Amino acid sequence: MTDMENTFTERMARDQALVEDYLRNAFTSEVRHADLQEAMEYSLMAGGKRIRPVLTLETCRLCGGDWRAALPFACAVEMVHTYSLIHDDLPAMDDDGMRRGRPTNHVVYGEATAILAGDALLTAAFGQLARADLPAERIVKAVGCLSHAAGSAGMVGGQSLDMAGEGRALDREELELLQSLKTGALISAAAEMGCIAAGAAPERQAQVRTYAQALGRAFQVRDDMLDVISSPEELGKPVGSDQANEKSTFVTALGLEGCAALVEELTRQAIGALEGFEAPGFHIWLAQTLAQRTK
Ligand code: GRG
């Protein structure tokens, strides 16, 4: 590892620790039912990679903002992401038993509590936005950005297409649309909320969107590859589930080699979008690192 890579790895670890601390203290006295609070914290504090909140913090910094003020935005995105994972694992959706290296929420707390824990995390996310120590105008923009990305025009819409497409082969175009909504929209919102927190110019936000959309696509293609080439120990969830469920993925569409080439090309595109930023080193490193991730 070069000195530069070491520095970025440390910076990522420091950002992740900030996010962990903030999330740990997010619900202390508000939740009225101990089981519900436990279920929310069980999934939220289960050791996810925290890529989305790190992207918010680092993009705020990239745009010259005070990244500490972006922490509530960052953690709001992670709450939405965690809710989506809890609901995605439910018997009515993917019916998965393991996530983030532990039994899924509904396996431990039952379906009703898992649904409510997801609902409460989604709602709490918007409460977090309201709490940010930033100008009201930026908070309003962040509400618009996150609700658009998480809702029927974004992640929920993608999940709905996914459910509707079960049992038949999707073509490349359908797959791209589904994944750009299901996974890409929230990743893009995570980065754009960093721009919003920093009060960045619209042109800068547009560049960041291009970066994050390419990053999100590469992330999803790599995710499909990992379901074939990784192990349950590494991923914290079963592998081979796409094939077992006869799902259309980028691997079924392009093969493993085609996927590797696409991840490389998308990573190049992501990095190319950063031209003109003063210090894009972390974002470049992140794109390169995610392209080779093993979990
Ligand atoms: C239920 C509304 C609703 C949406 C579900 C996110 C999602 C939509 C489903 C998850 C299915 C899945 C495995 C998608 C692949 C990409 C992805 C989002 C992986 C999980 O994100 P990571 O790798 O997870 O960032 P960690 O645990 O590290 O946070």
Side-chain angles (χ1 to χ4, degrees):
M1 216 183 257
T2 66
D3 281 356
M4 199 55 120
E5 282 169 337
N6 255 330
T7 312
F8 291 136
T9 307
E10 281 163 19
R11 202 155 120 184
M12 175 99 183
R14 201 208 47 213
D15 289 347
Q16 284 165 328
L18 281 170
V19 168
E20 296 294 326
D21 266 5
Y22 187 96
L23 289 174
R24 193 169 300 113
N25 298 312
F27 299 118
T28 35
S29 58
E30 267 188 10
V31 186
R32 299 294 175 151
H33 183 210
D35 277 3
L36 176 63
Q37 172 148 357
E38 199 182 302
M40 290 162 75
E41 288 176 347
Y42 176 81
S43 291
L44 195 59
M45 304 313 294
K49 295 184 286 297
R50 311 304 195 198
I51 285 157
R52 294 158 192 79
V54 167
L55 202 50
T56 307
L57 298 180
E58 287 292 341
T59 304
C60 180
R61 179 194 280 214
L62 178 75
C63 295
D66 174 3
W67 54 272
R68 287 172 205 84
L71 256 176
F73 284 10
C75 291
V77 178
E78 186 66 12
M79 286 178 189
V80 171
H81 170 57
T82 303
Y83 121 75
S84 81
L85 298 180
I86 296 174
H87 282 194
D88 186 61
D89 291 333
L90 286 167
M93 304 239 184
D94 274 8
D95 196 10
D96 281 320
M98 289 294 285
R99 167 78 66 183
R100 291 178 164 173
R102 32 166 96 175
T104 45
N105 202 291
H106 67 272
V107 168
V108 179
Y109 297 99
E111 271 184 65
T113 300
I115 292 169
L116 292 173
D119 293 342
L121 283 166
L122 172 61
T123 313
F126 287 90
Q128 284 302 323
L129 298 184
R131 228 164 266 164
D133 187 14
L134 285 165
E137 188 193 302
R138 294 185 197 175
I139 292 177
V140 170
K141 278 191 188 161
V143 169
C145 179
L146 187 57
S147 61
H148 187 263
S152 54
M155 185 179 72
V156 172
Q159 180 77 351
S160 189
L161 286 176
D162 197 7
M163 300 279 114
E166 262 179 12
R168 72 178 177 88
L170 302 180
D171 65 30
R172 173 80 187 274
E173 205 178 313
E174 289 176 302
L175 198 57
E176 287 278 2
L177 173 67
L178 185 163
Q179 298 301 3
S180 71
L181 297 175
K182 190 173 119 174
T183 311
L186 196 63
I187 291 180
S188 187
E192 288 190 61
M193 284 168 64
C195 299
I196 294 169
E203 311 80 69
R204 286 304 197 201
Q205 190 170 334
Q207 273 183 275
V208 162
R209 189 179 309 125
T210 305
Y211 165 83
Q213 283 174 347
L215 185 88
R217 282 180 70 203
F219 188 83
Q220 181 61 53
V221 179
R222 185 72 189 162
D223 209 73
D224 287 354
M225 292 172 74
L226 291 180
D227 192 60
V228 178
I229 62 177
S230 190
S231 65
E233 294 72 33
E234 188 109 56
L235 280 189
K237 61 179 184 179
V239 294
S241 54
D242 291 337
Q243 197 185 1
N245 297 330
E246 295 180 358
K247 273 204 153 181
S248 304
T249 70
F250 285 100
V251 176
T252 56
L254 304 172
L256 276 174
E257 274 184 27
C259 283
L262 181 58
V263 169
E264 214 174 289
E265 168 56 24
L266 290 167
T267 303
R268 237 195 321 272
Q269 282 177 22
I271 292 169
L274 297 170
E275 209 171 299
F277 278 102
E278 210 171 292
F282 182 88
H283 285 69
I284 293 172
W285 170 84
L286 185 67
Q288 289 167 339
T289 303
L290 290 181
Q292 286 156 21
R293 74 192 169 99
T294 53
K295 60 181 179 180

